Amino acid sequence: MTVLVSNSLPRSLRRERATDTRASSRAWMHWAWLPAAAALGLSLLGIAAIGTTEPGLANRQFGFLMVGLMMAGFVGAQHWRWMRRWAWLLFAVNVACLAFLLVPFVPDAVVRPRNGARRWINVGSLDFQPSELVKLTWVLAMAAWLRTTATVKRFEGVLATILVTAVPMALILLQPDLDSAVLFGPTLLVMLLAAGARLRHLAIVACIALVLAPCSYPFLQKHQRDRIDALFAQVMGDTRVNDGIGFQANRAVTLAAAGGVAGAGKEEAGTLIHYNRLPEEHTDMIFAVIACRWGMLGAVAVWVLGAAYAFGAFMVGLRAGTMFGRLVAVGIGSMVFLQLLVNTGMTIGLLPVTGMTLPFVSYGGSSLVALWITTAVLFSIASRRVRGFDLDA
Amino acid sequence: MALDSDRPSPLRATSMFERRMLVVGIVLALALGAMFTRLFTLSVVAGGEHRALAESRLDRTTLLPTVRGTITDRKGRVLAQSIPSYDLALFYPAINGAWVDARAVGAARREAGRAAWNKMGPAEREARIRAKQRELQAELDAVLAAASAAAELARPELAARMGDVRTQVERKANAVWEARLELERAKYGEAAEEQFDARPIAEQSESHVIATQLPAKAAFALRKLADAHPGILEVQDSTRRVYPWSTASIQLDRRSMPRPLRGDPLTLELAGVADHLIGGVREEVWREDLDRRPFRAVGADGEVATDLGGYRPGRDMIGSRGIERTYEDLLRGTRGRTVQRLDTGDTTRAEPARGTDIQLTLDIALQAHVQSLFMPQVGLAITQQWHHGWDASGDPKPIPLGYHVPLNGAVVVLDVDSAELLAMVSWPTMSAGEAFTDAERTQRAPAVNRAIESALPPGSIIKPIVYVGAVRGGVFGADERVECNGHYFGANDAFGRCWIYRKQFSFATHSQKLGGALDVEQAISRSCNIFFYTLADRMGIDALTAWYRDFGLGQRLDIGVSRREVQLDDAGNVTGVRIAGEAAGHLPSEAEAERIRRNGDRVSTVISGIGQGLITWTPLQAANAYATLARGGLIRDADLLRTQVSGRGPRRTGNLMLDPHACDRALEGLRQAVEETYGTGHHVTYEDRSTENIINAPGVTVWAKTGTAQAPAIRVDDNADGTPDRTVTGLEHGWFVGLVGDAAQDRPRYAIAVVLEHGGSGGKSAGPIANQVIRALIAEGYLDGNAAARPKRTVPTPTGEGWVEPTGGAG
C-alpha cells in the first residue's frame, strides 16, 4: 500500500488521528529483542556484581529490576505515535522538573539533597531523578523535531537544535553533574548525522565545539577540573596523583587489573575490594568490581552486551519505517552505548573520573527503571512497523 | 518551507543513513577496541603486579621491638642485659589532636541519624560537629590523664614528650616532602611546586613510644584503657636494660694497707663499676639518630626503603655512652614484624634479630676490687702527709692541695701475654660524680675516663724504655756506665739536674753515693736523671720520638672503645672525622722537633728522656709499653674486646727486637727499684721515721718504676661559687707503673699502671694502691702469692766494657 503524500500543507502541521493505524502493523520478530536481551543480561550481571560486596543492595536492585520490567511492559505496549505526539510536552515538563531542582526555596522534603547535589525529587517512597528521564524525553523531542528535513538541512536548523539541547545540559551541569551533560553532545551529533544534516555544517559545529571545549574548562567546578587534570597526569605516567584526586581512579584500575584474565572469584574479589577501599563500588565503579571478580572475560562480556544493545538499536532504526522511529532508535542506542563506554573508560583510567554510572549494571532505581523504559520505547518502535518508508512519520 | 528537491528518495536516504551509521559504528568499534587494548594491558600484561598491589593492602603490619645484645666480662658475668618490659605508645592522631577531628564528623552523623543528617544544612552540621569535637577532646584528655597516672608520668612531662614526638615527626615530614619536591622539580620542572601534593607520611598514622620500662601492673591497667578507647594508645611488649654491676658490695681487707689506714675489714658499697666502659642507654631518640639510621628513608630514586633496625621518633633504647654507644649498631639488633592478613586474621611473624652479644676482657670482680681502693673512706686516694713526708726537723712538708683532699686517679691492669685488659678503673666514676655539686663536677670531671682519656707527662716511668731504645739504636752499650755528677749542663744551670742534686739533699749525686759511674740497674732503681739525659742526648729528639712511637705513645691503641664521630656543619656537610673515646697522648710533632733541632735545644731533648717536656701519655699507654717491654719488644696492643667485631681497623703488629740482655738488665733495675731498700719504690717513711715496704704482697715478684711528673698549676675554687680563688703550684702527678708475676715463675705476667693526679711522690702515693692491686690479683686468682716459693735473688754485676766518660758539662 503506498502512502499518499500531500504537498498542500507541511506535514508537521497536519493533524494525524491517533486511531489512524493504517500505516503500521504489529510484529513480534524484530530487532528490539536483542537490546532487550542485552539489557536483561546487563541487569542480571549488575545484580550479581553488586552482590559481591553488598548483598542487601543486590536484593533491592532485583526489586528495581522488577519495577523496571513492569514499567517497560506498560510503555512497550504503547504505540510510538503517542510518544511522538507528546514528545515536546514531556520534554518541557522534564526540563521544568530540572529547573525545579535548582530553585533554592524548595523544602528538603521534596528535593532531597545528597552529598551536596540536588538531583532527586522525592515522590512518595522513591527518589525520582529527572536527569535520567530527560535523556529519553530529549531524544524523543529531537527525533520529533528532526524528522522533517526542513530543520536539519539548514545550518540555522542545526544551531537551533544545539541551542535547544543546551537547555537541559546547562540545567544538569548546574546540579552539579558533569557526567550526564557530556552525553548530549555526541548523541546529538549522531542524531543529526542520522537525520541527514549536511556534513559541512556538522564539521563546522564540530570544529567550534573542539575549540570551545577547552574554553569551558575554567567554568567547570574545581573537582571537575581536578579530575581532568588527574586524567591527563595519569596518562602521562605521573604517579603523584595516585593518592589524591586520582585515588578513586587508581584503586579502580588496580582492582580491575587484579582480576587478571578469569577473575578472582567472589570471595577474593569481595575481600580485595573491601580492603582496597574502592569507593562507589556498587555505583560508578561497578565495572571494576566486574573486572575484579570475573576478570577480563567479565569485562568483555559487559562490552559485548553493550555493543549488542547498540547494534540492536541501530538495526531497529534501520528497519524502522519512519524517520521518527529511526532517529529515536539511533539516539537511544548511541546514548546508552556512550554512557557505557564513558563509564568503563573512566574505570580503567582512560577517561576522567565522572559520576557516570554503568547503564543497567550500576545500582540505582531511577536509573534502571528509566533505562528499561527507554528499552521499551525501542520495543515499541520496532514492534509497530510502517510498511515502506514514511520520511515524515 | 520544505522543497521537494530537498527530499531525497527513500532508497537513497536509506543508503545515506546506512553509510553514516556504518561510520558511526566503526568509530564506536574503534573506541571499544582501544578500551579492550587498555584492559588487556592492565589485566593480562600487568595483572600480576596489580593483584599483588591490591593484596598488599590486605596486610596490617606491626613492629616488634629489638632485643639488645648482652655485654659480659671475661668470665661471662653479665654487665648489661635486656629484660622484658612494657612500653606505652600513643598513636600520632592522638598526639596531634587529629583523632578528635577524624571522629567528630562520623560521631555527629551517627548521633543525628542518617535521615536527619542528610536534611541538615551546613551551619547546623557545623554546630553539631563542633559539639562533638568538644566531647571527644574531653575524652582524649581524660584518657591521657589516666595514662599518665598509670605510667607514673607527670602530666606536663607527658605533654612535653608528645610535643617532642610531634616536632620530630613534623620535621621528618617536611624533610620527606622537601626531598620529594626536589625529585619532582627535577622531573617535572618548576611547575611541580603548585601541583605538589603533600601526602601524610607513614609516621603520621603510626604509634610512637612515649614511656618505656613500665612494670607489669601499669601495663595491665594501660591495656584496659587502650581497649576501652581504641585509637589513642597501645601497650607494646618491650625490654629494659639492667646493669647488674651498677652497684656492688665489697669487703675490703685492710691488713696490708699502709699503717695509718689499717683496720678491720671495711664493707663498701660501690656504684657504677666499670660504668665508664660499659656506658649506658638513653630513651630519647635524638635528631642525629633519625638522620644517621632512619627507619624509613626516601632514597635517591624516590623509593622508600625500610631499615628494620632503624630509629623512629619517640622513645627507644639507644646507647649513650661507652661500649653501649660505640657498638650501638651491633648491640641493637633488628626489629621483628608481624603481618596480619586482615580478612583471614592469619598472622605471620618475623622474630626480631637479637643484637650481637659483646664480651669484654675485663674481670669485673677485679675491677670492683680496684675501684673500691679509690673510695675516700679507704684513704688511699686522698692526700696524706706520708705522701709528701716530713722534713729533717720533723715538720710536715706542705701539701699543695691541702690535707685529706680527694684525688683523681686511674689504674690499668693488663695481661702481658694476651694483651687483654683485666681492669681499667678511672676515679671518680660517673656514679660517684652524680653526688658532686656543680663546682665539684667542673673541677673533677667525672665523665672523663682517665685511664684512656687523660694524657699526663710520664716522668721517670719512661726511663727503662729510653734505655732499651738507646741500646737498640746502637748509641749505648747495654752494660755501659754513666757518671752522675748531678747536673748535665753547667753546675749552676737550672736545667738538666738530677733530682737529688738539690738543697734538701745537700746537692748529692748518684756517683758520689755509689762511688762511680752507674750502670742501668742502678740508674733505674735510683731513678738517676743524668743517666737518661745522656741517653736521650745521644739518641737525639727524632730517634727518641720515633722510639716512643714504636712503643705505642702518641697514638690511639684502639682497644675497642673508639667511636668514629662524623662532624657535620649546619648544612649537613662532613667537615671531619673525630675518633672519640681514647686520647692519643702527645709526642713532639715534626714542627716541634724541627724547632728543637734548629735551635740546638738540648734541654728539650734531654728532658724528653725523663718523660717531661712535650711528651704525654695515658695510663693505658703506660701499661701497654711495659707489657711490650716484658715481651721483649713484641708488639701486641691492649685489647678490651673478646668478641670479634667488624669495623675495627688493623692493629699494630711487629717486633721491636729488643736486645734480650738489655731487657734483662732493665727488668732487674725495675725489680731493684721495688725490692731493694735503695729503690725509689721500696718503702714509705712515716713521721716517726719508721718505714714500711710499699709492696708487701707475698709470693710475687714485682718489677716497677716510680714516677713523679711535674704538673702544671691549677686554679682551685674553694668556696664553690663558680670562680677560682687561688692558684696551686708545685703539683706533681704520682705514677707507679710496673710488672708483676709469680715468684716461682719469675717472669712478668701482668702490667699495672697506677696514676694519682696531683698525688706527689709516685712511690708513696700511687705505690700503696699498686700494692693493693697486686693483692687483688692474688685474691681473684691471677697470681699464686705463695711466699715460700720465692727464689733468692742476686744483684747482677756488670760484665765487659761499657764505662762511659760522663759527657755532662760538654756543650
Side-chain angles (χ1 to χ4, degrees):
Chain A
M1 200 170 19
T2 44
V3 172
L4 296 171
V5 173
S6 163
N7 288 344
S8 55
L9 275 176
R11 184 70 177 177
S12 55
L13 291 182
R14 271 211 277 147
R15 291 283 177 271
E16 197 186 18
R17 274 171 296 151
T19 53
D20 184 358
T21 57
R22 284 176 293 122
S24 62
S25 62
R26 226 177 169 124
W28 287 107
M29 292 294 294
H30 53 75
W31 277 103
W33 287 112
L34 183 57
L40 189 64
L42 285 171
S43 304
L44 293 174
L45 189 60
I47 290 171
I50 293 167
T52 312
T53 50
E54 305 258 16
L57 292 184
N59 291 334
R60 292 188 67 184
Q61 181 82 338
F62 189 76
F64 292 141
L65 178 61
M66 291 299 113
V67 170
L69 286 173
M70 278 194 314
M71 301 279 303
F74 172 68
V75 169
Q78 308 308 310
H79 200 292
W80 49 261
R81 280 204 172 114
W82 286 106
M83 301 170 204
R84 188 191 68 195
R85 167 179 281 222
W86 301 113
W88 280 106
L89 183 62
L90 290 171
F91 180 57
V93 166
N94 214 330
V95 169
C97 285
L98 279 178
F100 179 65
L101 283 177
L102 295 172
V103 170
F105 300 109
V106 173
D108 291 344
V110 182
V111 176
R112 187 180 310 190
R114 211 181 280 174
N115 299 331
R118 298 163 67 90
R119 298 188 197 175
W120 292 268
I121 296 178
N122 186 359
V123 177
S125 60
L126 288 176
D127 282 337
F128 155 66
Q129 197 175 12
S131 58
E132 293 293 332
L133 267 186
V134 80
K135 292 184 222 170
L136 176 63
T137 54
W138 171 78
V139 166
L140 290 173
M142 285 294 114
W145 188 8
L146 294 173
R147 64 191 169 94
T148 58
T149 56
T151 322
V152 85
K153 288 289 185 191
R154 288 167 33 229
F155 189 64
E156 299 80 14
V158 170
L159 285 181
T161 57
I162 292 172
L163 281 172
V164 170
T165 307
V167 172
M169 269 183 82
L171 287 173
I172 290 177
L173 266 174
L174 287 171
Q175 273 182 353
D177 182 357
L178 171 65
D179 346 308
S180 306
V182 301
L183 287 175
F184 286 93
T187 312
L188 179 62
L189 182 65
V190 173
M191 288 180 74
L192 285 173
L193 262 180
R198 294 191 205 278
L199 291 178
R200 254 199 321 279
H201 298 155
L202 290 180
I204 294 169
V205 168
C207 285
I208 295 175
L210 278 174
V211 166
L212 280 182
C215 298
S216 72
Y217 181 80
F219 295 104
L220 292 174
Q221 298 213 328
K222 180 157 196 312
H223 73 271
Q224 292 163 336
R225 272 183 283 153
D226 285 345
R227 282 180 172 154
I228 294 178
D229 290 341
L231 172 74
F232 269 111
Q234 264 189 317
V235 171
M236 311 251 269
D238 185 349
T239 57
R240 292 175 289 169
V241 297
N242 284 351
D243 279 333
I245 194 73
F247 167 73
Q248 199 182 25
N250 179 254
R251 294 290 160 108
V253 167
T254 306
L255 283 169
V261 174
K266 182 165 189 227
E267 290 296 325
E268 178 88 18
T271 312
L272 283 173
I273 290 161
H274 181 232
Y275 286 107
N276 276 273
R277 300 208 188 88
L278 180 70
E280 310 284 349
E281 82 269 18
H282 50 276
T283 52
D284 303 354
M285 292 287 155
I286 192 78
F287 188 65
V289 175
I290 292 175
C292 187
R293 183 166 165 184
W294 290 289
M296 205 177 68
L297 296 178
V300 167
V302 169
W303 283 326
V304 163
L305 288 171
Y309 190 98
F311 180 71
F314 281 3
M315 289 313 289
V316 166
L318 190 61
R319 292 301 173 89
T322 59
M323 194 53 131
F324 175 75
R326 174 169 290 177
L327 291 174
V328 168
V330 163
I332 287 174
S334 51
M335 190 160 248
V336 170
F337 190 67
L338 273 172
Q339 188 175 344
L340 187 136
L341 272 185
V342 169
N343 176 284
T344 56
M346 117 192 145
T347 309
I348 59 177
L350 283 179
L351 292 170
V353 170
T354 60
M356 199 173 292
T357 54
L358 192 58
F360 294 104
V361 183
S362 290
Y363 174 77
S366 47
S367 156
L368 189 65
V369 169
L371 282 165
W372 272 106
I373 293 175
T374 313
T375 313
V377 168
L378 268 184
F379 208 86
S380 166
I381 289 171
S383 64
R384 297 187 189 272
R385 243 187 274 151
V386 172
R387 256 177 246 127
F389 187 79
D390 182 355
L391 279 176
D392 291 334
Chain B
M1 222 28 161
L3 299 172
D4 277 0
S5 56
D6 284 330
R7 225 182 279 166
S9 71
L11 281 174
R12 214 181 122 213
T14 306
S15 58
M16 173 200 76
F17 175 77
E18 277 177 346
R19 271 201 314 273
R20 290 181 167 195
M21 290 304 103
L22 194 61
V23 169
V24 170
I26 288 171
V27 169
L28 291 176
L30 284 175
L32 205 56
M35 298 244 196
F36 177 77
T37 312
R38 164 91 171 149
L39 186 62
F40 187 85
T41 316
L42 284 177
S43 295
V44 178
V45 175
E49 285 166 30
H50 285 277
R51 181 71 173 262
L53 177 59
E55 287 194 338
S56 74
R57 295 199 182 108
L58 262 64
D59 295 329
R60 183 169 67 192
T61 309
T62 40
L63 295 169
L64 304 169
T66 62
V67 179
R68 211 171 164 82
T70 304
I71 302 177
T72 53
D73 82 340
R74 71 186 291 115
K75 291 194 174 148
R77 292 178 279 222
V78 171
L79 304 177
Q81 197 179 45
S82 291
I83 59 174
S85 175
Y86 299 96
D87 287 348
L88 169 64
L90 293 179
F91 288 98
Y92 194 73
I95 291 176
N96 70 353
W99 181 87
V100 169
D101 297 324
R103 279 189 166 53
V105 177
R109 192 184 318 155
R110 270 194 300 279
E111 190 185 50
R114 211 185 165 94
W117 187 259
N118 281 337
K119 279 197 210 149
M120 279 186 227
E124 202 193 326
R125 285 189 192 181
E126 269 300 307
R128 281 180 178 254
I129 291 173
R130 240 184 274 287
K132 261 297 163 197
Q133 278 178 333
R134 280 193 293 275
E135 259 182 59
L136 287 168
Q137 184 66 48
E139 185 188 335
L140 181 64
D141 290 336
V143 170
L144 289 177
S148 60
E152 283 172 29
L153 202 58
R155 191 76 179 84
E157 171 63 24
L158 178 70
R161 291 185 186 189
M162 285 165 62
D164 287 341
V165 170
R166 196 168 166 176
T167 311
Q168 283 173 340
V169 171
E170 281 173 7
R171 219 196 99 249
K172 175 99 193 266
N174 284 328
V176 167
W177 292 333
E178 263 307 309
R180 282 212 191 115
L181 188 57
E182 266 313 304
L183 278 174
E184 289 182 5
R185 255 192 223 123
K187 253 163 90 169
Y188 304 113
E190 282 311 311
E193 294 212 42
E194 299 116 43
Q195 298 174 337
F196 182 67
D197 179 21
R199 299 200 294 275
I201 61 173
E203 280 84 352
Q204 287 171 317
S205 59
E206 290 168 344
S207 64
H208 299 273
V209 175
I210 280 285
T212 57
Q213 305 183 13
L214 300 171
K217 188 154 166 256
F220 183 65
L222 287 166
R223 274 218 165 107
K224 280 180 31 186
L225 196 61
D227 289 338
H229 302 271
I232 299 180
L233 54 87
E234 65 176 4
V235 175
Q236 296 177 350
D237 292 332
S238 177
T239 57
R240 81 190 156 86
R241 200 74 168 157
V242 292
Y243 299 94
W245 287 88
S246 61
T247 52
S249 179
I250 189 168
Q251 214 183 44
L252 206 55
D253 183 348
R254 298 193 284 179
R255 287 173 298 174
S256 54
M257 293 206 182
R259 198 188 305 146
L261 305 178
R262 236 167 260 168
D264 290 329
L266 184 63
T267 306
L268 294 168
E269 299 297 325
L270 302 172
V273 179
D275 62 5
H276 278 118
L277 287 172
I278 301 171
V281 291
R282 62 179 148 86
E283 279 190 350
E284 299 109 10
V285 178
W286 288 350
R287 177 176 172 160
E288 57 193 62
D289 306 314
L290 295 174
D291 290 337
R292 186 173 66 83
R293 196 179 173 187
F295 182 69
R296 262 189 215 94
V298 181
D301 51 355
E303 287 296 311
V304 173
T306 306
D307 176 2
L308 279 174
Y311 300 100
R312 301 172 61 222
R315 310 227 131 209
D316 205 324
M317 191 187 290
I318 304 170
S320 61
R321 297 179 294 108
I323 296 279
E324 295 266 36
R325 179 173 177 180
T326 308
Y327 298 104
E328 166 65 14
D329 290 336
L330 268 185
L331 286 167
R332 181 169 170 73
T334 57
R335 289 191 179 82
R337 245 208 271 243
T338 55
V339 177
Q340 187 189 32
R341 185 98 186 187
L342 287 170
D343 56 335
T344 57
D346 290 340
T347 310
T348 49
R349 191 179 161 106
E351 289 297 326
R354 198 192 151 82
T356 314
D357 294 333
I358 290 184
Q359 188 180 33
L360 304 180
T361 57
L362 290 183
D363 183 321
I364 199 69
L366 180 68
Q367 175 93 4
H369 199 144
V370 173
Q371 181 179 321
S372 67
L373 302 170
F374 281 90
M375 295 197 74
Q377 308 94 299
V378 177
L380 287 169
I382 61 178
T383 56
Q384 301 280 5
Q385 193 57 56
W386 39 268
H387 292 168
H388 300 268
W390 291 259
D391 61 18
S393 46
D395 293 325
K397 291 188 187 164
I399 307 176
L401 281 176
Y403 186 65
H404 277 188
V405 169
L407 295 169
N408 305 333
V411 173
V412 175
V413 180
L414 185 58
D415 182 312
V416 165
D417 298 318
S418 63
E420 290 185 341
L421 283 162
L422 295 177
M424 187 193 284
V425 175
S426 169
W427 187 266
T429 58
M430 301 208 48
S431 307
E434 274 162 25
F436 287 177
T437 62
D438 283 339
E440 279 176 320
R441 206 170 289 129
T442 316
Q443 196 105 33
R444 300 190 61 190
V448 173
N449 184 347
R450 289 179 160 78
I452 52 177
E453 291 180 40
S454 174
L456 304 170
S460 306
I461 308 290
I462 205 93
K463 285 172 179 171
I465 293 167
V466 179
Y467 165 71
V468 294
V471 172
R472 181 75 172 76
V475 300
F476 192 75
D479 302 321
E480 233 180 283
R481 288 171 178 270
V482 172
E483 179 88 19
C484 170
N485 61 2
H487 53 84
Y488 195 68
F489 303 115
N492 295 318
D493 203 317
F495 299 104
R497 293 176 165 224
C498 197
W499 63 274
I500 61 166
Y501 194 72
R502 278 188 220 165
K503 190 153 170 253
Q504 67 211 87
F505 300 115
S506 318
F507 296 98
T509 71
H510 285 112
S511 285
Q512 215 171 44
K513 292 199 166 199
L514 292 167
L518 283 76
D519 64 12
V520 64
E521 286 153 16
Q522 291 164 327
I524 288 178
S525 58
R526 288 152 181 88
S527 199
C528 172
N529 286 354
I530 305 299
F531 189 95
F532 295 97
Y533 290 153
T534 312
L535 295 180
D537 204 16
R538 285 197 199 177
M539 285 181 82
I541 190 69
D542 293 307
L544 191 57
T545 305
W547 185 247
Y548 285 158
R549 190 162 282 123
D550 286 340
F551 255 88
L553 276 75
Q555 62 204 275
R556 284 179 196 89
L557 298 179
D558 193 20
I559 61 170
V561 297
S562 292
R563 203 173 61 244
R564 307 193 101 242
E565 273 180 6
V566 181
Q567 288 165 312
L568 304 169
D569 60 17
D570 287 329
N573 304 316
V574 176
T575 54
V577 176
R578 186 171 81 97
I579 306 217
E582 266 186 63
H586 187 79
L587 288 176
S589 63
E590 276 296 318
E592 286 161 345
E594 174 66 32
R595 203 173 341 116
I596 291 171
R597 268 198 308 275
R598 224 180 330 115
N599 298 343
D601 181 0
R602 288 170 71 207
V603 173
S604 297
T605 307
V606 302
I607 63 171
S608 299
I610 62 161
Q612 300 279 173
L614 294 165
I615 302 173
T616 59
W617 71 357
T618 60
L620 170 72
Q621 287 169 324
N624 195 57
Y626 269 64
T628 310
L629 178 66
R631 287 189 294 260
L634 177 66
I635 295 177
R636 186 176 287 154
D637 286 337
D639 205 345
L640 185 61
L641 299 180
R642 278 193 147 187
T643 313
Q644 295 287 343
V645 298
S646 63
R648 282 183 84 180
R651 312 213 56 219
R652 289 195 317 150
T653 51
N655 197 323
L656 298 174
M657 308 298 272
L658 300 178
D659 179 30
H661 180 58
C663 275
D664 285 344
R665 296 210 72 177
L667 285 176
E668 178 55 23
L670 291 172
R671 189 198 65 78
Q672 289 176 10
V674 168
E675 299 189 355
E676 304 300 330
T677 52
Y678 47 81
T680 54
H682 183 256
H683 58 265
V684 174
T685 312
Y686 297 118
E687 187 170 12
D688 57 2
R689 317 242 175 171
S690 61
T691 63
E692 262 191 341
N693 285 13
I694 293 172
I695 304 293
N696 56 24
V700 295
T701 310
V702 180
W703 303 260
K705 186 78 193 68
T706 61
T708 309
Q710 284 174 339
I714 60 170
R715 308 200 63 195
V716 177
D717 179 7
D718 283 319
N719 49 12
D721 63 353
T723 52
D725 300 305
R726 61 186 168 104
T727 308
V728 182
T729 57
L731 291 165
E732 291 164 325
H733 299 308
W735 285 95
F736 194 96
V737 180
L739 303 155
V740 63
D742 283 315
Q745 287 185 356
D746 200 29
R747 91 181 161 82
R749 297 257 320 273
Y750 307 100
I752 303 175
V754 181
V755 66
L756 210 53
E757 285 181 10
H758 309 126
S761 156
K764 296 182 173 61
S765 60
I769 297 179
N771 182 49
Q772 293 303 314
V773 172
I774 294 170
R775 289 210 165 245
L777 280 169
I778 294 170
E780 296 296 327
Y782 289 96
L783 291 168
D784 280 338
N786 184 354
R790 192 181 175 79
K792 272 192 65 162
R793 303 220 49 108
T794 52
V795 179
T797 52
T799 56
E801 47 206 352
W803 206 93
V804 175
E805 200 73 52
T807 57

